[in-house]
Amino acid sequence: MDPELISVVQRFLVSEVTDIRPLPGGHIHDSYIVTAASGGLVRRYVLQRLNQTVFADVDALMENVQRVIGHIRQRLHESGGPDRRCRGLSLVPLSAACNVFLCRHDDECWRMFEFIEGTRTLHEVRSAADAERLGRAFGEFHDLMADLPPPPLHETIPRFHDTPWRLTRFEQSVAADVCGRAGDVRAEIDFIRAHAGLAPLLVQANVPQRVVHNDAKIGNVLFDESTGDVLCVVDLDTVMPGTILFDFGDMVRSGVCTAAEDETDLARVEVDLSLFEALTRGYLGAAGSLLTATERDHLVTAGKVIVFEQAVRYLTDFLEGDRYYKTSRPGHNLDRCRNQTKLVESLTQHEREPTRIVQHL
Ligand code: GN1
Ligand code: MG
C-alpha cells in the first residue's frame, strides 16, 4: 500500500487500514477502495482525491454535496423510505476536525464515502428493464430535489451545459491546434460544424431552472445487487441549478443503446426504440407530474443536443491533448467522440418515433 495514501486515510475516522486499491471508472477524480478492519469487522470506503482543475472551489463543491445528501436523507426519512436507502451516501468525517474533507496542500483535497455493500453499478444498459430503472432513478432524484430549501446550490462548474459555449471552446481548440491533431480529424470537425444548429436548442428553451444532477448516466446509478432495484444516484458533484433537459439528454446518452460510450464498433451504436420507450416511461413515471408542457416537448431534442455536446467536449479534449478526461489508451477521446457522433446520427434518423413515444406516455 502506498504510504502517502495510508497517511491520508488515517486522517479520517476509520480503523485499521488493510487494503487500498484504485477504483477505475470515473473520468475526473482519482478514486480508491479502502478496506479497514476493526475488532473483526471489515468495512470498505471510497476515497477520492478531488480534481481541482475541474472543480476549482472545493468548499462550494463539498457544501453542495452535503446539502444534497442531507436533503435526500430527510425526504426519504419523512416518507418512511427503507433505512438502507436513507443511508445512500455517507461522508466519513475527519478524526481531528468536524469536517468531511481534507485539504493537505492547496492542490490536494480528499474525501471519503462509506462503501455501500451489496450494490453494483453498470457501464451500459443491458435491457429495457435497466433503461426503465435509469429513467426512474433520475426521475425520483428530480422529485427529491424539487423542494430543496434555499439558498440555491453553488454552480460548481460554470456554463457546464452551455452547449453554444462548448462549441465556441471547440472552435478555439481547432484554431489553436496545439497538438497538431486537427488535420487527422477533419471528418469529425466537419460533423460538428454541420450540426452546430443543435447547440442553442436547450439553452433557448423556455423551461424552468431546477436542481438537476448534470451527469445523469447509467454509471451513476447504484443498484441493489440481489434485487436489481435502484438504491440511489451517486456522483453529486455537479448537482446544481440547470434544466431537466440536461439530465434527460444525458440519460439518452447511456439509456437508448446497449453499447458503452467508448464502444469502437459503431455498428453497435444505434438507438433502440424499445430502450428509449422504457427509459422515458421510467422517467415520466417518477417525474412526469413535475414537468411543464415545454419541458416534455423538448425531451427528444434534449437527447440529440446533449449527445452532440458530449461529442464536442470529447473532440475538444482530444485536440487539446487529453487534459480533461482520463483516458486509458491513445485516441480514447477520439473514439468517444466518434461514438457520440454516431449516436447523434442515429437519433437524427429516428426522430419521429421517439416523439410519438413521448406523446403517448
Ligand atoms: C465525466 O467523471 P465522470 O465519469 O463522473 C464528466 C461528465 C461527462 C461524463 C462522460 C465533471 O463524469 O460531464 O458527461 O464524464 N464530468 C465532469 O461520461 O466533467
Ligand atoms: Mg460525474
Side-chain angles (χ1 to χ4, degrees), residues 36-143:
S38 143
L41 204 67
V42 176
R43 301 194 72 160
R44 294 197 290 169
Y45 304 88
V46 176
L47 173 72
Q48 290 186 308
R49 180 182 173 169
L50 303 176
N51 182 327
Q52 288 173 266
T53 311
V54 171
F55 292 97
D57 187 346
V58 170
D59 292 295
L61 164 72
M62 291 306 290
E63 192 183 311
N64 276 6
V65 170
Q66 288 179 85
R67 281 185 61 200
V68 171
I69 291 176
H71 182 70
I72 292 176
R73 200 169 294 158
Q74 191 189 334
R75 276 279 307 270
L76 292 177
H77 181 72
E78 281 164 8
S79 66
D83 185 46
R84 192 163 145 70
R85 282 202 47 171
C86 297
R87 291 193 285 110
L89 278 177
S90 289
L91 283 156
V92 179
L94 297 179
S95 38
C98 25
N99 206 347
V100 286
F101 65 103
L102 167 71
C103 288
R104 295 211 305 178
H105 315 288
D106 279 354
D107 64 339
E108 211 192 285
C109 287
W110 299 84
R111 71 180 170 196
M112 204 148 94
F113 290 102
E114 288 179 21
F115 184 90
I116 309 174
E117 300 293 346
T119 58
R120 61 170 305 182
T121 49
L122 299 174
H123 293 298
E124 57 271 315
V125 299
R126 302 156 306 181
S127 62
D130 287 344
E132 182 165 357
R133 289 186 184 117
L134 167 66
R136 189 154 13 95
F138 285 101
E140 283 173 4
F141 182 79
H142 288 165
D143 179 58

Side-chain angles (χ1 to χ4, degrees), residues 85 88-89 116 118-126 129-141 213 215-225 228-236 247 250-251 254-255 279 283:
R85 282 202 47 171
L89 278 177
I116 309 174
T119 58
R120 61 170 305 182
T121 49
L122 299 174
H123 293 298
E124 57 271 315
V125 299
R126 302 156 306 181
D130 287 344
E132 182 165 357
R133 289 186 184 117
L134 167 66
R136 189 154 13 95
F138 285 101
E140 283 173 4
F141 182 79
H213 187 278
D215 191 9
K217 60 182 178 184
I218 188 77
N220 284 334
V221 179
L222 218 52
F223 295 92
D224 186 304
E225 208 166 33
D229 290 341
V230 170
L231 201 66
C232 58
V233 305
V234 298
D235 186 1
L236 306 174
D247 282 1
D250 250 331
M251 282 182 253
S254 64
L279 170 74
Y283 179 69

Side-chain angles (χ1 to χ4, degrees), residues 116-348:
I116 309 174
E117 300 293 346
T119 58
R120 61 170 305 182
T121 49
L122 299 174
H123 293 298
E124 57 271 315
V125 299
R126 302 156 306 181
S127 62
D130 287 344
E132 182 165 357
R133 289 186 184 117
L134 167 66
R136 189 154 13 95
F138 285 101
E140 283 173 4
F141 182 79
H142 288 165
D143 179 58
L144 287 166
M145 289 296 108
D147 62 352
L148 181 77
L153 293 172
H154 301 288
E155 203 177 1
T156 51
I157 303 181
R159 317 189 85 166
F160 195 58
H161 281 299
D162 180 344
T163 318
W165 177 74
R166 296 280 182 192
L167 203 55
T168 304
R169 285 272 299 99
F170 161 76
E171 286 296 352
Q172 287 164 351
S173 74
V174 177
D177 194 19
V178 289
C179 298
R181 292 176 170 178
D184 301 333
V185 294
R186 285 310 344 160
E188 288 74 19
I189 293 172
D190 289 347
F191 181 95
I192 286 171
R193 289 181 174 158
H195 291 78
L198 287 170
L201 297 183
L202 298 191
V203 293
Q204 283 175 1
N206 182 20
V207 292
Q209 288 283 306
R210 303 179 186 273
V211 176
V212 299
H213 187 278
N214 287 304
D215 191 9
K217 60 182 178 184
I218 188 77
N220 284 334
V221 179
L222 218 52
F223 295 92
D224 186 304
E225 208 166 33
S226 48
T227 64
D229 290 341
V230 170
L231 201 66
C232 58
V233 305
V234 298
D235 186 1
L236 306 174
D237 297 338
T238 47
V239 179
M240 56 182 160
T243 81
I244 58 96
L245 302 176
F246 303 157
D247 282 1
F248 190 81
D250 250 331
M251 282 182 253
V252 167
R253 279 199 331 109
S254 64
V256 302
C257 159
T258 55
E261 66 171 354
D262 61 353
E263 172 65 60
T264 52
D265 177 1
L266 297 186
R268 291 198 53 219
V269 183
E270 275 288 344
V271 181
D272 177 330
L273 291 170
S274 67
L275 295 182
F276 180 88
E277 207 259 343
L279 170 74
T280 311
R281 186 165 7 92
Y283 179 69
L284 291 178
S289 60
L290 289 178
L291 264 55
T292 66
T294 312
E295 285 174 319
R296 198 181 255 265
D297 286 348
H298 280 75
L299 292 178
V300 175
T301 304
K304 270 197 309 186
V305 175
I306 296 296
V307 181
F308 170 73
E309 179 187 278
Q310 194 65 57
V312 170
R313 292 178 64 192
Y314 281 142
L315 195 57
T316 304
D317 198 33
F318 177 75
L319 290 168
E320 293 182 348
D322 308 310
R323 292 180 311 173
Y324 186 92
Y325 292 109
K326 284 182 194 293
T327 53
S328 50
R329 56 176 187 258
H332 202 169
N333 276 319
L334 179 57
D335 290 343
R336 291 164 169 157
C337 163
R338 288 181 172 146
N339 174 304
Q340 299 289 284
T341 55
K342 173 68 198 299
L343 193 53
V344 171
E345 234 164 39
S346 178
L347 286 163
T348 308

